[in-house]
Amino acid sequence: MPTAPASRRTFAVASLLALTFTGLSAAEDMSSFATGGYARGLHSTQLMHKIDANGDGMISREEWLNFQERIFTMLDKKKTGLVDAREFVSPGGGSVVSLATGGFARGLRTRDMMHKIDADADGTVSHDEFIAYQTKVFDMMDTSTTHKGLLGKSEFMFATGGATAR
């Protein structure tokens, strides 16, 4: 039977390994959760400044969701609360580009991203599905222990699974 100090060391090593693999699985989760194009389009200083409504250099959950609400409104051209494939991927996405960036719009407006956001697989993205998905993206980026609920530049640019800034 191991002594108490050996048991504590074993527990400490096991805990460290669990935390390491949890971090890896979070990175892997983002890469399977979004497409590479979306993740790359998300990571730009220009987009961060567009989302940062109060200009404090941080993106709050409220700023993030307000931005996503505006994106959904632009996607929902028919104003039905549901975005079908034609609306989601239509090339006439100038309005989304004007609000966001070209890289973000191109990364978001793909069939692959639509399928990832379409949680019930009915071929449309509802407002609730879109906002729930974008809330998960925010939560994946929100890795700070000191500023929970706020994304600083490092979280916004790098915290979603290793995609690089542009």
Side-chain angles (χ1 to χ4, degrees):
M1 180 167 201
T3 64
S7 294
R8 283 189 205 125
R9 276 190 300 244
T10 302
F11 178 76
V13 170
S15 297
L16 181 59
L17 288 173
L19 288 172
T20 300
F21 288 119
T22 300
L24 290 175
S25 68
E28 291 167 1
D29 286 348
M30 186 57 174
S31 65
S32 66
F33 186 70
T35 63
Y38 177 79
R40 280 188 304 278
L42 183 62
H43 298 297
S44 79
T45 305
Q46 183 183 8
L47 182 62
M48 183 176 178
H49 291 303
K50 287 183 176 225
I51 298 171
D52 182 14
N54 66 5
D56 67 354
M58 304 287 279
I59 296 174
S60 68
R61 178 181 299 277
E62 181 180 356
E63 287 171 319
W64 175 261
L65 292 177
N66 286 340
F67 175 80
Q68 299 304 335
E69 289 282 352
R70 294 189 338 249
I71 293 291
F72 185 83
T73 298
M74 290 179 169
L75 292 173
D76 186 14
K77 291 179 184 64
K78 297 176 193 170
K79 307 302 178 215
T80 61
L82 294 172
V83 178
D84 62 24
R86 183 172 291 166
E87 287 174 292
F88 199 91
V89 301
S90 70
S95 59
V96 173
V97 171
S98 69
L99 178 63
T101 61
F104 177 82
R106 281 188 304 277
L108 173 66
R109 301 187 74 184
T110 66
R111 288 193 186 276
D112 286 345
M113 277 303 296
M114 181 181 171
H115 292 301
K116 288 179 180 291
I117 297 170
D118 181 13
D120 62 7
D122 69 352
T124 63
V125 173
S126 71
H127 172 268
D128 290 347
E129 286 173 320
F130 189 81
I131 296 304
Y133 180 89
Q134 297 301 342
T135 299
K136 288 179 186 175
V137 170
F138 183 91
D139 291 343
M140 286 181 179
M141 290 191 295
D142 188 10
T143 58
S144 173
T145 56
T146 57
H147 295 99
K148 212 64 175 152
L150 293 171
L151 304 177
K153 186 173 182 175
S154 64
E155 287 129 344
F156 189 81
M157 300 299 282
F158 304 109
T160 59
T164 56
R166 293 171 49 169

